[in-house]
């Protein structure tokens, strides 16, 4: 596999860049797929924007911004956006989309972030946390760079969907374990091995509260209405009156006072 070209130094600021990221291998193909796919363009991204609401004048960190489609949409709605991603190849695609003045930075969410405390009003983490085995350090850093009362908007693989698909394939996963899976993705003739981490719902919510976040929304949103016609083949098994499928899970989290976290509450 050929490595995607890295960006010239004057195009992207780099902080602790890691070795070749898997997404560097498929950056161009993934970007093209993300533009028009059912899961991304007609489900996940509209849901994130709906949860974000009015972002005019808000400083937002797009954590795991990829090629920048959510960054662009938030900026179009009046937000002041900074994007970070571990893949220089994906940020090259973002630069082409967003222009030379966009603030983009290579940064690994598993490590310290190059921002001061309370730098952002909101953080978006769109389909990125499920690449991490340990959410603790990452959530602590995202909490640190958020203002008190700021929001962390998260989308992740739905914890039930992975188990369902594995059972359908004849496997017997333990839902209550945090476990890894590896998938081979080929997009636009480019192939990469991607590693994901499945975890149960309680592990997600416990991690959020331990890090000092209050869960204000848990959402399983519908796909946008026009998807029914555009993706009639993919949605053929879903009854016409239904507008939801098991895919991603969404959270809106509110940051508490720095250094304080409320313990998880049982119902």
């Amino acid at each position: 596999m050929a490595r995607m070209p890295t960006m010239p130094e004057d195009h992207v600021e780099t902080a602790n860049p890691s070795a070749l990221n898997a997404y560097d291998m498929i950056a161009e193909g993934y970007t093209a797929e993300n533009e028009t796919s059912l899961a991304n363009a007609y489900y996940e991204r509209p849901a994130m924007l709906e949860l974000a609401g009015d972002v005019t004048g808000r400083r937002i960190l797009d954590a795991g911004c990829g090629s920048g489609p959510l960054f662009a949409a938030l900026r179009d709605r009046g937000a002041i956006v900074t994007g970070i991603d571990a893949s220089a190849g994906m940020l090259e695609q973002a630069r082409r989309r967003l222009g030379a003045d966009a603030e983009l930075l290579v940064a690994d969410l598993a490590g310290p972030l190059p921002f001061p405390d309370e730098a952002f009003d909101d953080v978006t983490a769109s389909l990125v946390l499920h690449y991490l085995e340990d959410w603790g350090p990452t959530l602590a850093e995202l909490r640190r760079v958020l203002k008190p009362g700021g929001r962390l908007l998260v989308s992740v693989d739905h914890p039930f969907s992975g188990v369902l698909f594995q059972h359908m394939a004849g496997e017997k996963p333990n839902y209550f374990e945090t476990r890894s899976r590896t998938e081979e993705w080929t997009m636009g003739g480019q192939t990469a091995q991607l590693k994901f981490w499945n975890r149960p719902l309680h592990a997600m919510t416990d991690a959020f509260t331990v890090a000092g976040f209050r869960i204000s929304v848990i959402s399983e949103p519908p796909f946008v209405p026009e998807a029914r016609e555009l993706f009639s083949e993919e949605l053929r098994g879903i009854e016409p009156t239904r507008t939801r499928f098991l895919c991603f899970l969404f959270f809106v989290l509110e940051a508490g006072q720095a250094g304080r976290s409320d313990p998880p509450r049982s119902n």
Side-chain angles (χ1 to χ4, degrees), residues 163-258:
V163 172
L164 174 62
F165 295 145
Q166 286 180 291
H167 274 289
M168 291 172 63
E171 302 174 26
K172 296 182 179 180
N174 183 346
Y175 166 77
F176 294 101
E177 289 181 348
T178 297
R179 61 207 182 280
S180 65
R181 75 181 196 276
T182 300
E183 297 181 5
E184 182 174 279
W185 287 10
T186 299
M187 296 181 175
Q190 303 166 329
T191 301
Q193 298 279 339
L194 298 173
K195 188 174 186 178
F196 303 84
W197 289 89
N198 297 342
R199 70 197 70 227
L201 179 59
H202 79 268
M204 296 181 184
T205 58
D206 286 355
F208 294 145
T209 54
V210 166
F213 290 100
R214 184 180 71 85
I215 301 171
S216 61
V217 176
I218 300 178
S219 178
E220 297 169 307
F223 50 80
V224 297
E226 56 265 36
R228 175 70 69 176
E229 182 176 351
L230 291 170
F231 300 93
S232 57
E233 195 66 26
E234 292 90 334
L235 299 174
R236 183 169 51 181
I238 299 179
E239 297 175 7
T241 56
R242 291 177 53 199
T243 60
R244 302 171 193 266
F245 52 76
L246 203 59
C247 188
F248 304 131
L249 189 61
F250 298 77
F251 299 89
V252 179
L253 312 168
E254 295 180 2
Q257 293 294 326

Side-chain angles (χ1 to χ4, degrees), residues 46 54 60 96 99 121 128 131 158 171 187-189 212 236 248 253:
D54 183 5
I60 298 180
R96 293 174 183 174
D121 300 300
V128 65
Y131 292 104
H158 199 296
E171 302 174 26
M187 296 181 175
R236 183 169 51 181
F248 304 131
L253 312 168

Side-chain angles (χ1 to χ4, degrees), residues 143-158:
R143 170 64 198 86
R144 181 185 66 78
V145 303
L146 270 171
K147 296 178 180 177
R151 302 177 302 169
L152 172 58
L153 283 70
V154 173
S155 61
V156 293
D157 284 342
H158 199 296

Side-chain angles (χ1 to χ4, degrees), residues 37-80:
S37 70
L38 169 61
N40 296 109
Y42 294 90
Y43 179 60
E44 192 274 342
R45 197 149 56 246
M48 287 290 280
L49 292 171
E50 178 71 18
L51 291 171
D54 183 5
V55 295
T56 304
R58 295 182 72 84
R59 293 189 174 275
I60 298 180
L61 174 63
D62 189 3
C65 66
S67 61
L70 183 59
F71 184 124
L74 292 168
R75 187 175 66 176
D76 288 346
R77 287 160 172 77
I80 304 162

